[in-house]
Amino acid sequence: MKLPVAVLVSGSGSNLQSIIDRIEQGVLDAEIKLVVSNRAGVFGIERAKRHNLPYKVMLHTDYRSREAFDQAMVDAIVEAGVGDNGLVAMAGFMRIVTSVFLRAFEGRVMNIHPALVPSFPGVNGQADAADYGVKIAGCTVHFVDEQMDHGPVVIQAAVPCQAGEDGNVLAPRILKLEHRVYPQAIQWYAEDRLRIAGRHVELKVAGRPCARQPKADIEPETYALVWPPLEEGF
Amino acid sequence: MKLPVAVLVSGSGSNLQSIIDRIEQGVLDAEIKLVVSNRAGVFGIERAKRHNLPYKVMLHTDYRSREAFDQAMVDAIVEAGVGDNGLVAMAGFMRIVTSVFLRAFEGRVMNIHPALVPSFPGVNGQADAADYGVKIAGCTVHFVDEQMDHGPVVIQAAVPCQAGEDGNVLAPRILKLEHRVYPQAIQWYAEDRLRIAGRHVELKVAGRPCARQPKADIEPETYALVWPPLEEGF
């Protein structure tokens, strides 16, 4: 039985693509029931079309309130078959959701943010990190609560940041890891191995072989620390 | 010519010990000219005695203002021989310094903080990280400015954090890395390889061989990401 998933996008949807790819490779036991975009003409929708996935463009500007928009999304997602056993995965979805949405999918909404939270929440995580002058940047998959980029953390990946690098240099380095950790987090959810206790997300051990760790080398592109460790296939 | 260093402590001084050890091993080209503690009876002072290092207990409560205390520290440090070519290393020094201190040693005061700044500044970095539920924690060596745990970053180290671990479990894992990155940062300073440009600290490449990277293994104790990479001896 595959995990029913709805993916919310606002832009190019490269994290949507990484989820699609892992599903098509047979390592992620999920089925995308619906792709929702709150913007028209974005490439995320194009990706859904190319892979014959159901999609819906829902412009938040068409709704009178955040709550009305969220309720409409809830209805569309439930109708698409993502009910009590499904997951909602935000993938570059540029809107805060309200309690209307979170109550409908309690403990079942994930997001990925391109920073090591609680550092650098918001829309410019990579550039903010580079501007701050961190030596280690990264990304975070977390369950969603009503604060931005704030809910319980599932997995994080750390990558080097060099002096003088800006957000444009840093972003693709982080994105490479995003494309590995998000499908992994969703697979753990599909295997029912995640337990939320307060702010802590526990991963049940399953004895899966770990993926080969990034090579230790002087090149920043080859370094990373991922925790919990990625498993084979991710 | 060895780098003259003053070390400021408020407690057990384990980072002071790591600096002493690397000096005695001949890998850190520095000489500790003075250890200052703002608290009496701390083990940091005991370490100074054991290694025949000059030390001074200066109780901030004996001074009328932060500025007066800072000026007294400046006088003692300069008198001990840490002048324009020296470095002041805070090692668990639990006080904010004022511009009186920072102007006297501009760009020459370092601190180590047990978190990946800007996350978790303040006195409980490790416990705050564990309570937040991060999967990756760490430590930061930075130049000091007038905000707490805020100045330009020299080096950072990232380590895993497991669900359910508290600050007491996490602290020694981070401390192991602190004891490697702080002497390394001071050695880079001694070699005149650090350049501060705004919030960015650039490390001049010197072609030194890198230390062996931590082994990739399932045990959290064996994982770490350090950037810039540690060089041989550290």
PDB file of all heavy atoms in Angstrom, chain A residues 29-53:
ATOM      1  N   ASP A  29       7.942   4.595  -1.524  1.00  0.00           N
ATOM      2  CA  ASP A  29       6.636   3.911  -1.604  1.00  0.00           C
ATOM      3  C   ASP A  29       5.496   4.897  -1.437  1.00  0.00           C
ATOM      4  O   ASP A  29       4.756   4.861  -0.451  1.00  0.00           O
ATOM      5  CB  ASP A  29       6.541   2.830  -0.516  1.00  0.00           C
ATOM      6  CG  ASP A  29       7.625   1.778  -0.671  1.00  0.00           C
ATOM      7  OD1 ASP A  29       7.946   1.430  -1.820  1.00  0.00           O
ATOM      8  OD2 ASP A  29       8.162   1.329   0.364  1.00  0.00           O
ATOM      9  N   ALA A  30       5.369   5.803  -2.384  1.00  0.00           N
ATOM     10  CA  ALA A  30       4.343   6.832  -2.300  1.00  0.00           C
ATOM     11  C   ALA A  30       3.690   7.011  -3.662  1.00  0.00           C
ATOM     12  O   ALA A  30       4.220   6.570  -4.686  1.00  0.00           O
ATOM     13  CB  ALA A  30       4.959   8.147  -1.831  1.00  0.00           C
ATOM     14  N   GLU A  31       2.523   7.651  -3.623  1.00  0.00           N
ATOM     15  CA  GLU A  31       1.826   7.947  -4.867  1.00  0.00           C
ATOM     16  C   GLU A  31       1.327   9.383  -4.783  1.00  0.00           C
ATOM     17  O   GLU A  31       0.631   9.747  -3.831  1.00  0.00           O
ATOM     18  CB  GLU A  31       0.628   6.990  -5.039  1.00  0.00           C
ATOM     19  CG  GLU A  31      -0.077   7.188  -6.365  1.00  0.00           C
ATOM     20  CD  GLU A  31      -1.271   6.248  -6.521  1.00  0.00           C
ATOM     21  OE1 GLU A  31      -1.469   5.364  -5.670  1.00  0.00           O
ATOM     22  OE2 GLU A  31      -2.006   6.427  -7.503  1.00  0.00           O
ATOM     23  N   ILE A  32       1.715  10.194  -5.739  1.00  0.00           N
ATOM     24  CA  ILE A  32       1.281  11.587  -5.717  1.00  0.00           C
ATOM     25  C   ILE A  32      -0.139  11.669  -6.253  1.00  0.00           C
ATOM     26  O   ILE A  32      -0.383  11.406  -7.428  1.00  0.00           O
ATOM     27  CB  ILE A  32       2.240  12.485  -6.527  1.00  0.00           C
ATOM     28  CG1 ILE A  32       3.635  12.446  -5.887  1.00  0.00           C
ATOM     29  CG2 ILE A  32       1.712  13.928  -6.578  1.00  0.00           C
ATOM     30  CD1 ILE A  32       4.702  13.226  -6.638  1.00  0.00           C
ATOM     31  N   LYS A  33      -1.066  12.021  -5.362  1.00  0.00           N
ATOM     32  CA  LYS A  33      -2.484  12.067  -5.707  1.00  0.00           C
ATOM     33  C   LYS A  33      -2.873  13.417  -6.272  1.00  0.00           C
ATOM     34  O   LYS A  33      -3.896  13.537  -6.954  1.00  0.00           O
ATOM     35  CB  LYS A  33      -3.328  11.786  -4.455  1.00  0.00           C
ATOM     36  CG  LYS A  33      -3.126  10.397  -3.875  1.00  0.00           C
ATOM     37  CD  LYS A  33      -3.806   9.363  -4.756  1.00  0.00           C
ATOM     38  CE  LYS A  33      -3.975   8.040  -4.012  1.00  0.00           C
ATOM     39  NZ  LYS A  33      -4.689   7.069  -4.866  1.00  0.00           N
ATOM     40  N   LEU A  34      -2.079  14.455  -5.890  1.00  0.00           N
ATOM     41  CA  LEU A  34      -2.418  15.803  -6.341  1.00  0.00           C
ATOM     42  C   LEU A  34      -1.218  16.726  -6.185  1.00  0.00           C
ATOM     43  O   LEU A  34      -0.512  16.665  -5.178  1.00  0.00           O
ATOM     44  CB  LEU A  34      -3.600  16.363  -5.518  1.00  0.00           C
ATOM     45  CG  LEU A  34      -4.135  17.739  -5.938  1.00  0.00           C
ATOM     46  CD1 LEU A  34      -4.729  17.692  -7.346  1.00  0.00           C
ATOM     47  CD2 LEU A  34      -5.165  18.253  -4.925  1.00  0.00           C
ATOM     48  N   VAL A  35      -0.998  17.555  -7.197  1.00  0.00           N
ATOM     49  CA  VAL A  35      -0.040  18.662  -7.086  1.00  0.00           C
ATOM     50  C   VAL A  35      -0.862  19.944  -7.091  1.00  0.00           C
ATOM     51  O   VAL A  35      -1.675  20.149  -8.001  1.00  0.00           O
ATOM     52  CB  VAL A  35       0.967  18.669  -8.248  1.00  0.00           C
ATOM     53  CG1 VAL A  35       1.872  19.904  -8.184  1.00  0.00           C
ATOM     54  CG2 VAL A  35       1.795  17.388  -8.243  1.00  0.00           C
ATOM     55  N   VAL A  36      -0.671  20.774  -6.060  1.00  0.00           N
ATOM     56  CA  VAL A  36      -1.386  22.053  -5.981  1.00  0.00           C
ATOM     57  C   VAL A  36      -0.371  23.184  -6.121  1.00  0.00           C
ATOM     58  O   VAL A  36       0.676  23.163  -5.464  1.00  0.00           O
ATOM     59  CB  VAL A  36      -2.117  22.217  -4.630  1.00  0.00           C
ATOM     60  CG1 VAL A  36      -2.762  23.603  -4.534  1.00  0.00           C
ATOM     61  CG2 VAL A  36      -3.162  21.128  -4.448  1.00  0.00           C
ATOM     62  N   SER A  37      -0.700  24.121  -6.987  1.00  0.00           N
ATOM     63  CA  SER A  37       0.112  25.338  -7.062  1.00  0.00           C
ATOM     64  C   SER A  37      -0.763  26.544  -6.762  1.00  0.00           C
ATOM     65  O   SER A  37      -1.887  26.623  -7.248  1.00  0.00           O
ATOM     66  CB  SER A  37       0.742  25.505  -8.455  1.00  0.00           C
ATOM     67  OG  SER A  37       1.383  26.782  -8.538  1.00  0.00           O
ATOM     68  N   ASN A  38      -0.231  27.475  -5.976  1.00  0.00           N
ATOM     69  CA  ASN A  38      -0.989  28.709  -5.730  1.00  0.00           C
ATOM     70  C   ASN A  38      -0.571  29.820  -6.695  1.00  0.00           C
ATOM     71  O   ASN A  38      -0.968  30.962  -6.526  1.00  0.00           O
ATOM     72  CB  ASN A  38      -0.819  29.184  -4.269  1.00  0.00           C
ATOM     73  CG  ASN A  38       0.592  29.637  -3.972  1.00  0.00           C
ATOM     74  OD1 ASN A  38       1.544  29.073  -4.505  1.00  0.00           O
ATOM     75  ND2 ASN A  38       0.741  30.647  -3.132  1.00  0.00           N
ATOM     76  N   ARG A  39       0.245  29.434  -7.701  1.00  0.00           N
ATOM     77  CA  ARG A  39       0.583  30.392  -8.760  1.00  0.00           C
ATOM     78  C   ARG A  39       0.374  29.711 -10.113  1.00  0.00           C
ATOM     79  O   ARG A  39       0.680  28.522 -10.268  1.00  0.00           O
ATOM     80  CB  ARG A  39       2.040  30.843  -8.640  1.00  0.00           C
ATOM     81  CG  ARG A  39       2.262  31.755  -7.459  1.00  0.00           C
ATOM     82  CD  ARG A  39       3.651  32.373  -7.482  1.00  0.00           C
ATOM     83  NE  ARG A  39       3.943  32.986  -6.189  1.00  0.00           N
ATOM     84  CZ  ARG A  39       5.140  33.003  -5.620  1.00  0.00           C
ATOM     85  NH1 ARG A  39       6.186  32.456  -6.231  1.00  0.00           N
ATOM     86  NH2 ARG A  39       5.313  33.580  -4.436  1.00  0.00           N
ATOM     87  N   ALA A  40      -0.085  30.510 -11.065  1.00  0.00           N
ATOM     88  CA  ALA A  40      -0.295  29.973 -12.408  1.00  0.00           C
ATOM     89  C   ALA A  40       1.027  30.002 -13.189  1.00  0.00           C
ATOM     90  O   ALA A  40       1.909  30.799 -12.903  1.00  0.00           O
ATOM     91  CB  ALA A  40      -1.353  30.799 -13.138  1.00  0.00           C
ATOM     92  N   GLY A  41       1.147  29.115 -14.151  1.00  0.00           N
ATOM     93  CA  GLY A  41       2.266  29.160 -15.087  1.00  0.00           C
ATOM     94  C   GLY A  41       3.619  28.782 -14.517  1.00  0.00           C
ATOM     95  O   GLY A  41       4.640  29.069 -15.128  1.00  0.00           O
ATOM     96  N   VAL A  42       3.626  28.137 -13.371  1.00  0.00           N
ATOM     97  CA  VAL A  42       4.929  27.762 -12.800  1.00  0.00           C
ATOM     98  C   VAL A  42       5.371  26.402 -13.343  1.00  0.00           C
ATOM     99  O   VAL A  42       4.555  25.581 -13.758  1.00  0.00           O
ATOM    100  CB  VAL A  42       4.884  27.730 -11.256  1.00  0.00           C
ATOM    101  CG1 VAL A  42       4.597  29.128 -10.707  1.00  0.00           C
ATOM    102  CG2 VAL A  42       3.868  26.718 -10.738  1.00  0.00           C
ATOM    103  N   PHE A  43       6.674  26.172 -13.291  1.00  0.00           N
ATOM    104  CA  PHE A  43       7.210  24.947 -13.870  1.00  0.00           C
ATOM    105  C   PHE A  43       6.825  23.705 -13.056  1.00  0.00           C
ATOM    106  O   PHE A  43       6.798  22.599 -13.599  1.00  0.00           O
ATOM    107  CB  PHE A  43       8.733  25.052 -14.009  1.00  0.00           C
ATOM    108  CG  PHE A  43       9.306  24.015 -14.931  1.00  0.00           C
ATOM    109  CD1 PHE A  43       8.972  23.997 -16.276  1.00  0.00           C
ATOM    110  CD2 PHE A  43      10.164  23.027 -14.436  1.00  0.00           C
ATOM    111  CE1 PHE A  43       9.482  23.024 -17.126  1.00  0.00           C
ATOM    112  CE2 PHE A  43      10.684  22.063 -15.285  1.00  0.00           C
ATOM    113  CZ  PHE A  43      10.339  22.054 -16.633  1.00  0.00           C
ATOM    114  N   GLY A  44       6.517  23.901 -11.775  1.00  0.00           N
ATOM    115  CA  GLY A  44       6.050  22.775 -10.957  1.00  0.00           C
ATOM    116  C   GLY A  44       4.834  22.099 -11.571  1.00  0.00           C
ATOM    117  O   GLY A  44       4.719  20.870 -11.550  1.00  0.00           O
ATOM    118  N   ILE A  45       3.932  22.895 -12.128  1.00  0.00           N
ATOM    119  CA  ILE A  45       2.740  22.348 -12.786  1.00  0.00           C
ATOM    120  C   ILE A  45       3.132  21.620 -14.077  1.00  0.00           C
ATOM    121  O   ILE A  45       2.598  20.548 -14.393  1.00  0.00           O
ATOM    122  CB  ILE A  45       1.725  23.483 -13.050  1.00  0.00           C
ATOM    123  CG1 ILE A  45       1.125  23.964 -11.733  1.00  0.00           C
ATOM    124  CG2 ILE A  45       0.646  23.051 -14.029  1.00  0.00           C
ATOM    125  CD1 ILE A  45       0.357  22.893 -10.973  1.00  0.00           C
ATOM    126  N   GLU A  46       4.083  22.185 -14.784  1.00  0.00           N
ATOM    127  CA  GLU A  46       4.589  21.531 -15.995  1.00  0.00           C
ATOM    128  C   GLU A  46       5.146  20.135 -15.669  1.00  0.00           C
ATOM    129  O   GLU A  46       4.932  19.168 -16.407  1.00  0.00           O
ATOM    130  CB  GLU A  46       5.674  22.435 -16.621  1.00  0.00           C
ATOM    131  CG  GLU A  46       6.264  21.947 -17.920  1.00  0.00           C
ATOM    132  CD  GLU A  46       5.219  21.814 -19.028  1.00  0.00           C
ATOM    133  OE1 GLU A  46       4.221  22.569 -18.998  1.00  0.00           O
ATOM    134  OE2 GLU A  46       5.385  20.927 -19.894  1.00  0.00           O
ATOM    135  N   ARG A  47       5.850  20.043 -14.546  1.00  0.00           N
ATOM    136  CA  ARG A  47       6.387  18.730 -14.139  1.00  0.00           C
ATOM    137  C   ARG A  47       5.246  17.742 -13.890  1.00  0.00           C
ATOM    138  O   ARG A  47       5.339  16.559 -14.263  1.00  0.00           O
ATOM    139  CB  ARG A  47       7.211  18.867 -12.859  1.00  0.00           C
ATOM    140  CG  ARG A  47       8.495  19.670 -13.032  1.00  0.00           C
ATOM    141  CD  ARG A  47       9.276  19.677 -11.700  1.00  0.00           C
ATOM    142  NE  ARG A  47      10.222  20.778 -11.611  1.00  0.00           N
ATOM    143  CZ  ARG A  47      11.480  20.732 -12.017  1.00  0.00           C
ATOM    144  NH1 ARG A  47      11.960  19.637 -12.571  1.00  0.00           N
ATOM    145  NH2 ARG A  47      12.276  21.775 -11.880  1.00  0.00           N
ATOM    146  N   ALA A  48       4.187  18.214 -13.215  1.00  0.00           N
ATOM    147  CA  ALA A  48       3.042  17.330 -12.956  1.00  0.00           C
ATOM    148  C   ALA A  48       2.463  16.822 -14.273  1.00  0.00           C
ATOM    149  O   ALA A  48       2.203  15.626 -14.435  1.00  0.00           O
ATOM    150  CB  ALA A  48       1.981  18.078 -12.144  1.00  0.00           C
ATOM    151  N   LYS A  49       2.291  17.742 -15.240  1.00  0.00           N
ATOM    152  CA  LYS A  49       1.755  17.342 -16.553  1.00  0.00           C
ATOM    153  C   LYS A  49       2.636  16.294 -17.212  1.00  0.00           C
ATOM    154  O   LYS A  49       2.162  15.286 -17.722  1.00  0.00           O
ATOM    155  CB  LYS A  49       1.672  18.566 -17.469  1.00  0.00           C
ATOM    156  CG  LYS A  49       0.574  19.557 -17.110  1.00  0.00           C
ATOM    157  CD  LYS A  49       0.568  20.720 -18.105  1.00  0.00           C
ATOM    158  CE  LYS A  49      -0.355  21.848 -17.645  1.00  0.00           C
ATOM    159  NZ  LYS A  49      -0.196  23.067 -18.456  1.00  0.00           N
ATOM    160  N   ARG A  50       3.952  16.540 -17.193  1.00  0.00           N
ATOM    161  CA  ARG A  50       4.871  15.617 -17.872  1.00  0.00           C
ATOM    162  C   ARG A  50       4.817  14.207 -17.307  1.00  0.00           C
ATOM    163  O   ARG A  50       5.131  13.245 -17.993  1.00  0.00           O
ATOM    164  CB  ARG A  50       6.308  16.140 -17.740  1.00  0.00           C
ATOM    165  CG  ARG A  50       6.560  17.358 -18.604  1.00  0.00           C
ATOM    166  CD  ARG A  50       8.011  17.777 -18.553  1.00  0.00           C
ATOM    167  NE  ARG A  50       8.178  19.044 -19.263  1.00  0.00           N
ATOM    168  CZ  ARG A  50       9.341  19.672 -19.377  1.00  0.00           C
ATOM    169  NH1 ARG A  50      10.434  19.157 -18.842  1.00  0.00           N
ATOM    170  NH2 ARG A  50       9.412  20.807 -20.043  1.00  0.00           N
ATOM    171  N   HIS A  51       4.494  14.115 -16.009  1.00  0.00           N
ATOM    172  CA  HIS A  51       4.460  12.795 -15.378  1.00  0.00           C
ATOM    173  C   HIS A  51       3.027  12.302 -15.173  1.00  0.00           C
ATOM    174  O   HIS A  51       2.797  11.375 -14.401  1.00  0.00           O
ATOM    175  CB  HIS A  51       5.232  12.833 -14.056  1.00  0.00           C
ATOM    176  CG  HIS A  51       6.705  13.039 -14.250  1.00  0.00           C
ATOM    177  ND1 HIS A  51       7.596  11.997 -14.375  1.00  0.00           N
ATOM    178  CD2 HIS A  51       7.438  14.179 -14.388  1.00  0.00           C
ATOM    179  CE1 HIS A  51       8.829  12.475 -14.555  1.00  0.00           C
ATOM    180  NE2 HIS A  51       8.761  13.802 -14.568  1.00  0.00           N
ATOM    181  N   ASN A  52       2.077  12.963 -15.871  1.00  0.00           N
ATOM    182  CA  ASN A  52       0.662  12.550 -15.804  1.00  0.00           C
ATOM    183  C   ASN A  52       0.122  12.519 -14.379  1.00  0.00           C
ATOM    184  O   ASN A  52      -0.606  11.587 -14.002  1.00  0.00           O
ATOM    185  CB  ASN A  52       0.472  11.172 -16.459  1.00  0.00           C
ATOM    186  CG  ASN A  52       0.773  11.241 -17.945  1.00  0.00           C
ATOM    187  OD1 ASN A  52       0.297  12.143 -18.645  1.00  0.00           O
ATOM    188  ND2 ASN A  52       1.594  10.310 -18.421  1.00  0.00           N
ATOM    189  N   LEU A  53       0.487  13.506 -13.592  1.00  0.00           N
ATOM    190  CA  LEU A  53      -0.016  13.584 -12.218  1.00  0.00           C
ATOM    191  C   LEU A  53      -1.185  14.568 -12.164  1.00  0.00           C
ATOM    192  O   LEU A  53      -1.168  15.603 -12.845  1.00  0.00           O
ATOM    193  CB  LEU A  53       1.094  14.076 -11.278  1.00  0.00           C
ATOM    194  CG  LEU A  53       2.335  13.190 -11.182  1.00  0.00           C
ATOM    195  CD1 LEU A  53       3.408  13.866 -10.330  1.00  0.00           C
ATOM    196  CD2 LEU A  53       1.982  11.826 -10.601  1.00  0.00           C
TER     197      LEU A  53
END
